[in-house]
Amino acid sequence: MELIQICENARTASRALARLDAGRKNEVLRACAKALTERSEYVLEENAKDLAAARAKGMKESLLDRLMLTDDRIQGIAEGLAQVADLEDPIGEVLGMKKRPNGLLIGQKRVPLGVVGMIYEARPNVTADAFALCFKTGNACILKGGSDAIHSNIAIVDILRATLEKAGVTADAVQLITDTSHESTGQLMKMNGYLDVLIPRGGAGLIRSVVENSTVPVIETGTGNCHVYVDESADLDMAVNIILNAKTQRIGTCNTCESLVIHEKVAEELLPKLAERLSAKGVEMRCDERALSLIPAGVPATEEDWGREYLDLILSIKTVSSFDEAVAHINRYNTGHSESIVTRDYGNAQRFLDEIDAAAVYVNASTRFTDGFEFGFGAEIGISTQKLHARGPMGLLALTTTKFIIYGNGQIRK
């Protein structure tokens, strides 16, 4: 009954939010950003409780990094809310208007989805990001975070709700399900009639469970087995820098490079110097036979390694004899997230963009840029690896739908 009440509150709130104009929504978002900064000490105190519990359970460092908040990270969250406020409001946009022979004017108008449910794991920044994007688009959101971040999530939502109330806007624009049991997750998946969409964000197990068991429409976000392919014409110094950034800048994110593909013509020159730099960062290299002969510190890769999202200081390395073999390998093992080529060959760059099946495809850049903030969306509610409705980092437009609007002057159908 408590979950049903939460859902009913969200449905009521969504109708009120849909009536807010852009200026009002932006004013409230900026107030929320300010409040998070001013009350950062409270958030950090609660986050420390989550970190202590996670360490006691033996959580690995890459996942602790995803859970951890700092003054700088809270400031980044606040800046994300402010950036969302600065973005153009898509709600109310009319997408063309055409006149029919009978005189009817028929167009489409962008409108909120309504009530957005989100199930996610130990990344408390997602709590604020999801609220900001949903609020800007006139959607109410129901959030179900993981148990690892429960204290952090409660603190953030408390601040957001208090700010909403102070601004005279319904606090039920954002609600957090504080029951962290699997049972409540399962119940949320069955709330069709209340939720308009459900978005899972986390590990492969969570996403698979939601996709397979939800009766609510799902936007599927995905894990990231992201590749960097070093073509035979690549600038090798550039390649080393891109690979190091993509693999080691932050290892616990879905846009981190997990798999390296090397053209055999540059392997002998590239791999020894790359291995030295990766070893200095503590990266374990799981290599095919050719790469292993050039990297004494490497270990043999297994078939399973080509498709793994490690979220750890581990990298698989595959050598190929042609561009076509590289594309075939990547399309077989990738998760549809982010893929990059390092090359000086314009034709290969264009073919890579055309032939790789992924949400984000790069030429001569790190996969770490696949992110709502970096793409100019202010924040993201997730990175969709499916092909229907939304694909890639999901910002404001992904949280809208359209309806037809028709103007007449007394027409009746004959």
Side-chain angles (χ1 to χ4, degrees), residues 182-211:
H182 292 299
E183 288 76 16
S184 62
T185 301
Q187 290 165 7
L188 186 61
M189 294 182 203
K190 308 299 182 184
M191 288 292 122
N192 45 306
Y194 294 104
L195 270 62
D196 293 287
V197 67
L198 188 59
I199 302 172
R201 182 169 172 178
L206 169 67
I207 294 166
R208 183 171 58 252
S209 175
V210 174
V211 169

Side-chain angles (χ1 to χ4, degrees), residues 7 15 84 152 222 226 258 280 284 298 345 354 376 378:
C7 291
R15 298 187 181 104
V84 171
S152 307
C226 304
E258 305 285 26
E284 176 184 316
D345 185 315
D354 290 341

